[in-house]
Amino acid sequence: MSSKSFRVSRRSMILVISLVTLVIIGYSIVTGSFRFLEEVSFTKLVLSFIILMFAWLISAYRLKYIHRILEPDRCLNISIKDYFYARLLGGLMAYITPSAIGGEPARAYYLAKKCIGRFSRYFALSIYEVYYDIMIVNIFALSLSFYSLPYSLFVILVSIGSIVFWITMYYLIKNIVEPENTNIFLRKIVKWMNKFVHKRLEIIKDSYYDFASSFNTLVNNSYLINKVVIVVLTIFYHLCNSLAIFVLAMKSVTSVTIYTVINTVLASISAYFYSLALGALPTPGGAGVIEYGLSLALAPEIVIVSRTLMYYSTVIIGLLILYKIGLTKEIFE
């Protein structure tokens, strides 16, 4: 697999953005919350936007940190700006594809271009990175969802499914190179996968093993201190995004009490993790399921403004970055 293999249809991008927009408009009309966009404080919007960008910066540093584990020498020539671009491009593609499946290939594509390396190698890096996101998000969502039963039952089911699936995938990919090191059940699956690729998918065989080897290198070279740093950065990144929602949800200063602050903080964190957990479902751009996740803990007007700001800021800035680095024609068919 080469870096040239990543393509996205312009038509599908327009359709997904249109669908998300229609869902947001429909939700605002049904709940009667569409007027809130006219009344929300401009200062809150700006502050929330700044926090969101800071969160992306944290995730960019995390990507750089993980890249350093994989390629200690090559990553020295890549600036934090490039990792910031990679993360936002991944965010853009995640928001215009079902189940956010475009995010990891987009980051891998950009890094492969910058590092002049194989797409498969950086795809392994992106998968290793997103594994931490998936686990942290779903553990938080699962833990918090018990406070919102029975409405959060859907979140519980999706979170458990995501955790089981990704743990299984983690160990499958980790043992592709050396299947004899795993248990007998996973060993049989891995050997079947290797045999299938070797016999029927000759064209991707080298990339398949390069991907597996790179992932294995990341797992083996990530010592306890590395994993702790990655987990801390991941939690900090997601809590910053929750803080952006909190800023929008917080009432005026004159009516603030400790009780309302604590409640708003918990609601913002819960809503954020619920929505991200449900974002794993195969709906384009998370349309419908993200709004549902946010609405489990937030008032409808906060759902609208939070979803609008987080979605369109990522899409617009992602498109601007794509245009700036000159990859628009190369990526969009």
Side-chain angles (χ1 to χ4, degrees):
M1 188 180 296
S2 70
S3 62
K4 294 181 180 179
S5 62
F6 183 69
R7 296 288 186 274
V8 176
S9 166
R10 277 192 177 90
R11 181 177 296 178
S12 66
M13 178 190 72
I14 293 171
L15 286 174
V16 171
I17 294 175
S18 299
L19 176 61
V20 172
T21 302
L22 287 173
V23 169
I24 291 174
I25 292 172
Y27 180 90
S28 67
I29 292 173
V30 170
T31 59
S33 56
F34 56 91
R35 292 180 180 176
F36 185 75
L37 290 175
E38 300 175 358
E39 301 171 1
V40 65
S41 164
F42 179 74
T43 303
K44 283 186 176 183
L45 284 173
V46 172
L47 180 57
S48 183
F49 174 77
I50 292 171
I51 294 171
L52 287 175
M53 291 302 104
F54 181 66
W56 281 115
L57 187 61
I58 295 169
S59 71
Y61 179 77
R62 181 189 63 174
L63 181 58
K64 178 180 176 66
Y65 185 86
I66 298 173
H67 188 194
R68 189 182 302 159
I69 297 172
L70 178 64
E71 298 179 319
D73 299 324
R74 182 172 292 188
C75 71
L76 296 176
N77 299 322
I78 310 298
S79 68
I80 191 66
K81 181 181 73 173
D82 289 314
Y83 292 105
F84 184 72
Y85 283 1
R87 284 293 305 171
L88 272 164
L89 288 175
L92 165 66
M93 296 304 165
Y95 273 155
I96 62 174
T97 54
S99 302
I101 58 174
E104 288 70 52
R107 286 198 295 279
Y109 178 86
Y110 182 75
L111 289 175
K113 296 281 288 187
K114 294 300 297 184
C115 298
I116 315 176
R118 299 188 66 175
F119 177 89
S120 51
R121 187 165 183 79
Y122 299 104
F123 188 51
L125 170 63
S126 297
I127 293 297
Y128 186 78
E129 177 198 31
V130 80
Y131 174 78
Y132 284 89
D133 277 326
I134 296 293
M135 297 307 295
I136 294 297
V137 163
N138 285 284
I139 288 171
F140 267 80
L142 188 59
S143 302
L144 294 166
S145 60
F146 291 102
Y147 295 99
S148 302
L149 284 170
Y151 304 105
S152 61
L153 180 60
F154 198 30
V155 177
I156 293 173
L157 294 175
V158 173
S159 294
I160 292 174
S162 294
I163 290 171
V164 171
F165 174 80
W166 276 90
I167 288 176
T168 303
M169 289 304 299
Y170 176 91
Y171 283 102
L172 283 176
I173 299 171
K174 175 181 177 292
N175 290 288
I176 284 174
V177 179
E178 298 174 335
E180 62 277 0
N181 292 337
T182 189
N183 63 67
I184 188 169
F185 177 71
L186 291 179
R187 189 186 311 155
K188 288 183 177 180
I189 297 176
V190 171
K191 286 185 175 181
W192 177 86
M193 288 168 52
N194 292 346
K195 185 177 179 181
F196 179 85
V197 169
H198 188 78
K199 286 189 173 182
R200 295 174 178 82
L201 302 173
E202 187 71 25
I203 192 171
I204 68 162
K205 185 177 69 174
D206 290 342
S207 296
Y208 172 77
Y209 287 109
D210 182 55
F211 165 77
S213 176
S214 300
F215 191 88
N216 191 266
T217 298
L218 279 166
V219 172
N220 292 335
N221 291 351
S222 294
Y223 302 109
L224 179 60
I225 184 63
N226 301 123
K227 293 177 180 178
V228 169
V229 170
I230 296 170
V231 167
V232 169
L233 287 172
T234 302
I235 293 174
F236 192 29
Y237 157 59
H238 289 295
L239 288 181
C240 274
N241 281 326
S242 302
L243 179 61
I245 296 177
F246 167 77
V247 168
L248 297 171
M250 198 61 209
K251 303 295 183 182
S252 61
V253 177
T254 55
S255 62
V256 168
T257 65
I258 296 296
Y259 179 76
T260 58
V261 170
I262 293 174
N263 275 358
T264 307
V265 167
L266 291 176
S268 301
I269 292 174
S270 298
Y272 172 77
F273 285 107
Y274 293 163
S275 64
L276 238 63
L278 293 178
L281 295 172
T283 63
V289 293
I290 288 182
E291 286 79 8
Y292 178 75
L294 291 170
S295 67
L296 289 175
L298 298 173
E301 58 269 20
I302 308 299
V303 171
I304 290 298
V305 72
S306 299
R307 173 65 159 150
T308 300
L309 180 62
M310 296 180 80
Y311 184 81
Y312 292 106
S313 65
T314 302
V315 169
I316 291 171
I317 294 176
L319 288 172
L320 289 174
I321 290 173
L322 203 58
Y323 176 78
K324 180 182 177 182
I325 61 180
L327 292 179
T328 306
K329 293 182 179 179
E330 193 171 327
I331 288 182
F332 288 116
E333 296 177 326

